[in-house]
Amino acid sequence: MEITLNAYHTLIVAAIVMLVGHWLVFRIKFLSSFNIPEPVAGGLLAALIITVLNATLDLKFKLNADLQTTFMLMFFASIGLSADFTRLKEGGKPLIMLLVLVSIFIVVQNVIGVGLAALLGLKPLIGLVVGSITLTGGHGTAGAWGPVLEAKYGITGATTLGIATATFGLVFGGLIGGPVARYLIRKQKRKPLPQAHERSDVETISGTPRHEQATESEEEKRLTFEIFDQPRLITAYVAIETLAMFAACLTSADLLSRWTHGTAIELPTFIWALASGVVIRNVLTHMFRFEMFDRAIDVFGNASLSLFLAMALVSLRLWELADLAGPVAIILAVQVVVMMLYATYVTYRFMGADFDAAVVAAGHCGFGLGATPTAIANMQAVTDRFGPSYKAYLIVPLVGAFFVDLVNATVLQLFTQIPFLQ
């Protein structure tokens, strides 16, 4: 038996899943320590319950697909609307270098995924799901590409596999970042900061006055990418103005998707939404001197992602993954090892082989397998012990949160066009 939920019921279920997820993350330290998103925590619990109901009562649920798609497109539009290319100038050469290194790694990730999938007897495109779709892209990209791979390329369970793999990436991205950075810092023979009980009332061992330390600490916190509890003052006018830009992105994406259907430049609709956001953002900002309200864009984008993930996770069919568990585990194990080696011997060296480079390497482990909050958590753990790294806190969030999604979308589109992978 299948229960179909309309748009209202779907929205209510998504909200309940998010509230349950918030409670779980608040109560369970493991979930908060590894930055597991609240809709993922609540959604996976819902998916497990639905799996049990399916196994015992042969019961299935079908949510409103149009509402889910709308929130997904709004999330990708928010990425585009946040991608101001003047930020490339702010980060300078280090940001460009990190973006190049991350772009190369996205290709490496997909080559490994596709190659191992073929060797293990799976469809090669499954390797993209266990590659940059989920590991660099995260849950949002996994939920977006899953239906495309299922409908267009016949990859059964792509969405379910993607969500599971993205969750795996969050956990291991948080686990390996610290050890990689500590290994690199030990090679530099850098001493950890003295603990609070080891400091004098006036100065630290390094001679930095305590009041200056407090200033550095506050500045370091200011440079972190996202503080979710920070109040966001958004007026009704700003909300309507921001929604108008989202509406323009979604309208543009829908039209472009229809016009290019069946042509050589056919792209998934969510990529058109992202691209439309990039164009609208940079045209309004640089040609019309329009002042964008980034906080409003972030709020709508984060809320859309949360609702989309909650709906996607409730729709999961975990029983479809049984046959893939073994091969996927092997591919993921290799991806984790390659991430550690790349961060240690490539990211670290090309970013300068100094303390800042070690912190950047920890951040790369975070968003290379998980997400930007995981990268920030990795860097925070390192800088709390060894001192601040303003360079890392400037460039890692810019690359991990904005520009990497543009590169990843381009690379994935190219991979899906390779004939022998289809």
Side-chain angles (χ1 to χ4, degrees):
M1 182 173 66
E2 184 173 83
I3 299 176
T4 301
L5 304 181
N6 62 26
Y8 302 124
H9 299 152
T10 297
L11 188 58
I12 291 170
V13 168
I16 293 173
V17 165
M18 289 173 59
L19 292 173
V20 171
H22 177 79
W23 184 86
L24 289 172
V25 172
F26 180 75
R27 294 286 182 179
I28 302 175
K29 186 177 181 180
F30 170 83
L31 298 177
S32 59
S33 297
F34 290 104
N35 302 291
I36 303 299
E38 293 171 0
V40 172
L44 286 177
L45 176 61
L48 289 172
I49 293 173
I50 291 172
T51 300
V52 172
L53 291 175
N54 176 261
T56 56
L57 304 176
D58 194 26
L59 188 63
K60 299 177 183 178
F61 292 86
K62 183 177 181 181
L63 275 64
N64 183 274
D66 292 336
L67 194 62
Q68 183 176 331
T69 300
T70 299
F71 284 122
M72 181 260 289
L73 293 177
M74 286 185 67
F75 163 64
F76 280 95
S78 73
I79 295 174
L81 289 171
S82 300
D84 189 339
F85 285 111
T86 57
R87 291 172 177 168
L88 287 170
K89 296 181 180 178
E90 294 176 11
K93 292 182 179 179
L95 187 146
I96 300 297
M97 175 56 70
L98 180 59
L99 184 57
V100 170
L101 295 175
V102 170
S103 301
I104 294 172
F105 183 70
I106 289 173
V107 176
V108 171
Q109 225 169 28
N110 287 326
V111 169
I112 291 171
V114 168
L116 288 178
L119 287 175
L120 294 170
L122 303 177
K123 291 183 178 180
L125 284 180
I126 290 179
L128 297 182
V129 182
V130 200
S132 74
I133 285 180
T134 58
L135 299 179
T136 294
H139 289 88
T141 306
W145 273 101
V148 174
L149 294 175
E150 290 170 351
K152 188 173 181 179
Y153 301 102
I155 309 296
T156 303
T159 302
T160 305
L161 176 62
I163 297 296
T165 302
T167 304
F168 170 94
L170 278 176
V171 174
F172 276 84
L175 284 175
I176 69 173
V180 165
R182 284 192 289 273
Y183 166 75
L184 296 171
I185 292 170
R186 278 199 300 268
K187 290 176 62 177
Q188 302 170 11
K189 299 181 179 179
R190 184 186 179 97
K191 300 291 185 182
L193 293 176
Q195 300 302 306
H197 67 276
E198 297 173 333
R199 298 173 186 168
S200 67
D201 290 335
V202 180
E203 294 185 336
T204 66
I205 294 175
S206 63
T208 303
R210 291 175 65 87
H211 71 275
E212 289 186 16
Q213 281 190 327
T215 301
E216 289 177 354
S217 177
E218 291 301 317
E219 177 67 9
E220 183 178 333
K221 290 179 182 178
R222 186 185 72 79
L223 288 171
T224 57
F225 167 63
E226 181 70 272
I227 304 174
F228 289 101
D229 294 331
Q230 178 180 330
R232 300 176 183 272
L233 305 178
I234 301 174
T235 65
Y237 177 78
V238 168
I240 294 172
E241 184 180 77
T242 305
L243 281 174
M245 288 189 288
F246 276 102
C249 290
L250 268 59
T251 301
S252 171
D254 181 62
L255 292 175
L256 289 170
S257 181
R258 294 177 186 222
W259 292 342
T260 59
H261 180 69
T263 68
I265 58 172
E266 180 181 0
L267 297 173
T269 307
F270 69 88
I271 294 182
W272 286 122
L274 189 155
S276 298
V278 172
V279 173
I280 290 173
R281 166 66 188 237
N282 288 279
V283 168
L284 288 178
T285 301
H286 304 302
M287 293 183 64
F288 296 96
R289 305 299 178 187
F290 181 78
E291 186 174 352
M292 306 289 280
F293 202 137
D294 285 320
R295 286 182 297 170
I297 295 171
D298 288 343
V299 166
F300 283 110
N302 291 337
S304 298
L305 175 61
S306 296
L307 289 167
F308 163 63
L309 286 178
M311 296 173 190
L313 284 158
V314 172
S315 303
L316 290 185
R317 302 189 176 195
L318 296 177
W319 54 89
E320 295 178 348
L321 294 181
D323 296 334
L324 298 175
V328 165
I330 294 173
I331 298 173
L332 288 175
V334 174
Q335 294 282 26
V336 170
V337 172
V338 171
M339 177 76 260
M340 295 176 69
L341 294 174
Y342 192 92
T344 302
Y345 296 103
V346 180
T347 304
Y348 173 69
R349 291 187 178 182
F350 281 89
M351 291 305 298
D354 53 11
F355 174 69
D356 288 323
V359 180
V360 170
H364 190 189
C365 289
F367 72 78
L369 290 181
T372 305
T374 306
I376 296 299
N378 285 351
M379 296 193 299
Q380 188 72 54
V382 176
T383 55
D384 281 348
R385 183 156 178 75
F386 293 96
S389 172
Y390 305 125
K391 175 181 175 182
Y393 273 94
L394 175 63
I395 65 175
V396 168
L398 288 174
V399 172
F402 301 126
F403 299 113
V404 71
D405 287 304
L406 305 179
V407 175
N408 196 24
T410 303
V411 172
L412 287 170
Q413 186 62 28
L414 293 174
F415 265 84
T416 57
Q417 301 306 310
I418 299 176
F420 69 86
L421 296 183
Q422 299 178 9

